[in-house]
Structure formats: structure tokens, C-alpha cells
Amino acid sequence: MASINAYETDIKKLRRSRRSRRFIRRLLTILAVLAVALLIYLTHDSWLPYFENILEEGYESATSTTLEEEEESNFPFDVSSRSNVSIGAMRDCWVMFSDTSITTYDLTGATIQSVYAPYGTPTVETSSSRALVYDMGGYSLMVISRRNEIFEKKLEDQILFATIGEKGNIAVITSTDKYASYLTIYDKNGTEIFHWADGNYIMAVALNDDGSGCAVASLYASGGILKTLVYVLDFSSTEIQAKSSAIETLTLDIEFTDDEEIWLVGNDAVYLLNGDCTVAYSYDYTYDISGFSAKDDVCAISFEKPGSDEYLVAIFEAGLDETAEIIYNEEVKCVLVDDGEVYINTSSKLDKLNTSGEVESETDLSAEYTSFVIYSDNAILLNYRTVVKAALG
């Protein structure tokens, strides 16, 4: 009998031991899951935008065939009764701000997402994967992707202008009590990472492609003459990386080239600056500037010839001293540089030109349009009444 009781005791101890081990394993599993969840929560700001972009790229790839085969279209859009209408384009969608919302659309014009943004003077800027909308003269801004709102901010100082970089960071110029123009850089998650001012009026900012720095053009007056200073800044340093001598022009825009040279579009001349901000090339205008666009290695500027119906378009390419010049016998409404090509929107057509000035395709237009963007081999065109899509040849 004693041996039986001892055996039963050993069995009970074994069962209790097994239950204890199972309990410990379950507890450790739960703790591990909680630890992973906590880690995901604490680090989500760093990986969520990247994961979001991968998902969107996968979605676009999976649905591209469907879009190509889809015959139904929501174009044209009647915007005659809407206010504050502007358009932009990303790599995998196009965007339109109207009334009090910013909306992303696919190739057929179907809505992907719409976000409420009650801005008085909305301005839209886009990169390949994100769109920035801000209230010029107001205090609010928002960054969205194809399917998500990334972040929104309400600032204490009045926004003068802003721009967005390829890495998702944004540069915001505000007017403060101390400075007429004050630069603040936010990273892709909306965190402030850099501030700068030189006491002058900041006229333009270009963010470099890797998100590590920017070029800034500031304006001042001396002896009744407007002069521009160009600075190159690194967000990891308080030291100025490069500074130009005074350039006698009113800066309209600046843009990095692929080799981090700098286009400076002025009101009376265009300049190409080396990386150390010395002038490598300049082109003085013969006529009044009417439009411009600069992106990467290409810059295009349109001019109106006084006393005639002719317009001149000049095309510049970094590394080349020769300028291509094209004459149009009708009004040039808008000029746009996109992916190394130059697009010219006139009263009756949309031309695509190479950097030599040769017309590669011509699309007839049935109406006049005030602006356009390029998306997936199509032009999305806007006027005061409608938004249309035109396939490019």
C-alpha cells in the first residue's frame, strides 16, 4: 500500500510540475507578445510611413492592370461651383484641393481618400509619394499620402510658404515676432529638426533628395537694389555649408540639380550655381518672364514678347552651355518640367519637348487651361470650369 501511495504522490507531483511549466510557458509567451507590442508602439513613427509606402506600391502594382482595362471614367470634373481649386500629382495618384478638402484620385478619377482641410488660402505641393497642403497666410498645414493622412499641424506663427522633399520632410517659412522670415524643417513624421534665419526675407527653399539639407535664397535691399544670398545648410550642423556672394536679382525659385548644383530663377536672369554657391552660368532675359519651372537637371522659362503675339520658351540643361529657344505664335499658359521633359501648355495644345527643344508629342486641346500636372502618361488639366484628362502621345 505504501508503494501505491508513493506512486500516486509522484504522479501528482509530476502533474503539478507539468502544469507549472505550461503556466510559465504561457506567461512567457504573453510577456513576449506584450513586449513586441510595446516595441511596435514605441517605434511605429519610424517604420510606419515606409511600410505604408510599400503597401501602396503593392496595391498600385496589383491594380494597374485593372485600371488599364477600366473604361469607365469620372472625367471631366465640373469645378465651376467650387472654390480654392488646385491640383497636383504624385507617383501613384493625383490630388485636387477644392472647397475645404484635399482628395486623392486614381487614373479613372475615382476617389481614393478625401481629407477635411478648412483652409482659407490653400496651396498644394507634391513629392513622388506625398502631398503637402498649407494655408498661406494662415497657421495650418497637412501632409497626406495616397491613402492616409500622415500628420497635421497648427502653428503659432503665420505661414508664408512651404515645400515638401522626396524623403517626406517639409520646409516651412513663417513670419515671427523676431524675424520677417523663419525657416523650420520637420522630418517625415512631423517632428521639428532644424531652424534657421539670417534676418532677411527668405524667398525660396529647395530640399535635397536625401533629406539631409537644403538650399535657401534670402533677399535684401542695398542702395535701392534687390540682392539675393544663397545658403547651403546641413540639418545635422549649425555651420553654414556654403554661401554665395550677393546676386543682383529678385529670386523666384531655386532647385537642386542631380549633382547638387543649384538653379536660381530670378526676375531678370537665371543662374546655375556650383555646390559652393559660386556662379557657373547665367542667362540674362531679353523679355519679361511669364512662367518658369525647374526640376533636377532641367530648367524652362517662358517669355512674352512685347508688341507681338509671340512667346519665347528657353530650355536649360545643367552641364550644357547651349540654350534651346522655341517661338510660339500663341499664348503660353503654363510651362512644366517633369522627369527630364518640358511640357508647354498653349491656348490650343500641350506639347512635350526634349531638352534640345524638339517636339516629341503634341496634344490638341478643346479649351484653354490655366494649369496642369503629369500623371501616368496623362495630363490632368485645370481651368475655371473643369478638370480633364488628356492622354499624351
Side-chain angles (χ1 to χ4, degrees):
M1 179 65 70
S3 60
I4 294 176
N5 290 338
Y7 175 76
E8 290 178 348
T9 299
D10 291 341
I11 290 296
K12 290 178 181 179
K13 287 181 179 179
L14 180 61
R15 288 174 178 172
R16 283 198 299 270
S17 176
R18 288 177 177 174
R19 282 197 296 269
S20 296
R21 286 197 296 269
R22 284 198 298 268
F23 174 76
I24 291 172
R25 283 199 300 268
R26 289 172 182 171
L27 180 60
L28 290 175
T29 300
I30 292 171
L31 290 175
V33 170
L34 290 176
V36 171
L38 180 61
L39 180 63
I40 290 173
Y41 174 76
L42 292 175
T43 62
H44 75 283
D45 283 342
S46 63
W47 58 262
L48 186 58
Y50 174 77
F51 186 64
E52 162 199 298
N53 289 338
I54 292 177
L55 287 177
E56 291 179 357
E57 288 173 3
Y59 175 85
E60 184 67 20
S61 175
T63 59
S64 59
T65 303
T66 303
L67 292 178
E68 290 173 1
E69 296 175 352
E70 179 63 66
E71 294 182 358
E72 183 179 354
S73 174
N74 293 286
F75 291 98
F77 288 78
D78 181 1
V79 296
S80 58
S81 61
R82 302 188 189 186
S83 61
N84 298 325
V85 181
S86 58
I87 57 176
M90 293 186 271
R91 178 184 58 246
D92 50 9
C93 67
W94 64 279
V95 301
M96 179 168 65
F97 191 102
S98 66
D99 298 327
T100 57
S101 64
I102 183 167
T103 305
T104 57
Y105 298 92
D106 67 15
L107 195 57
T108 70
T111 298
I112 300 171
Q113 71 159 334
S114 187
V115 182
Y116 180 62
Y119 299 164
T121 310
T123 302
V124 176
E125 299 283 343
T126 59
S127 67
S128 61
S129 60
R130 292 186 175 188
L132 162 70
V133 57
Y134 63 92
D135 194 1
M136 183 184 293
Y139 300 87
S140 299
L141 62 86
M142 178 187 298
V143 174
I144 66 169
S145 65
R146 186 179 193 269
R147 290 188 170 275
N148 298 287
E149 177 184 335
I150 306 299
F151 63 84
E152 183 177 16
K153 287 191 172 294
K154 180 81 171 180
L155 307 183
E156 294 182 357
D157 298 314
Q158 189 177 43
I159 300 172
L160 301 179
F161 68 93
T163 190
I164 187 167
E166 281 302 309
K167 289 297 184 180
N169 55 343
I170 63 172
V172 183
I173 309 303
T174 55
S175 176
T176 71
D177 293 336
K178 186 176 180 181
Y179 296 101
S181 298
Y182 190 69
L183 168 67
T184 303
I185 303 296
Y186 299 87
D187 69 11
K188 63 182 179 180
N189 304 310
T191 303
E192 293 183 24
I193 61 170
F194 187 79
H195 302 273
W196 183 86
D198 69 345
N200 298 325
Y201 291 92
I202 298 174
M203 302 300 294
V205 178
L207 294 161
N208 61 16
D209 284 345
D210 65 10
S212 64
C214 69
V216 180
S218 71
L219 183 74
Y220 69 99
S222 176
I225 299 174
L226 294 176
K227 298 182 179 182
T228 288
L229 293 173
V230 177
Y231 300 86
V232 175
L233 308 174
D234 188 315
F235 302 148
S236 64
S237 173
T238 58
E239 300 294 326
I240 293 172
Q241 304 303 298
K243 178 182 176 180
S244 73
S245 57
I247 302 172
E248 294 186 4
T249 193
L250 169 63
T251 297
L252 305 176
D253 192 23
I254 58 174
E255 177 70 27
F256 279 110
T257 70
D258 289 336
D259 292 331
E260 298 211 347
E261 296 176 309
I262 301 167
W263 293 110
L264 189 157
V265 180
N267 68 315
D268 53 10
V270 61
Y271 301 83
L272 180 63
L273 308 183
N274 295 313
D276 62 359
C277 290
T278 57
V279 176
Y281 173 84
S282 65
Y283 173 96
D284 294 328
Y285 305 157
T286 304
Y287 309 107
D288 291 336
I289 185 172
S290 62
F292 62 88
S293 179
K295 187 174 183 181
D296 298 328
D297 284 347
V298 183
C299 177
I301 303 176
S302 62
F303 306 94
E304 181 178 2
K305 287 188 174 184
S308 74
D309 295 330
E310 289 185 343
Y311 281 73
L312 169 69
V313 176
I315 300 174
F316 311 90
E317 186 173 5
L320 299 179
D321 292 335
E322 294 184 1
T323 302
E325 296 184 344
I326 307 96
I327 298 294
Y328 281 89
N329 294 313
E330 59 180 335
E331 182 180 0
V332 173
K333 297 287 188 179
C334 188
V335 56
L336 176 68
V337 175
D338 187 88
D339 196 23
E341 306 283 356
V342 179
Y343 297 85
I344 308 296
N345 172 211
T346 71
S347 301
S348 64
K349 62 182 179 177
L350 177 65
D351 284 348
K352 180 172 75 171
L353 288 71
N354 60 28
T355 54
S356 298
E358 299 167 339
V359 177
E360 296 185 340
S361 70
E362 183 178 301
T363 303
D364 293 329
L365 303 176
S366 59
E368 294 186 1
Y369 296 91
T370 55
S371 66
F372 68 95
V373 294
I374 304 300
Y375 166 50
S376 187
D377 294 325
N378 291 268
I380 311 297
L381 300 108
L382 167 70
N383 62 21
Y384 299 108
R385 298 179 300 276
T386 187
V387 176
V388 302
K389 180 179 71 174
L392 299 174

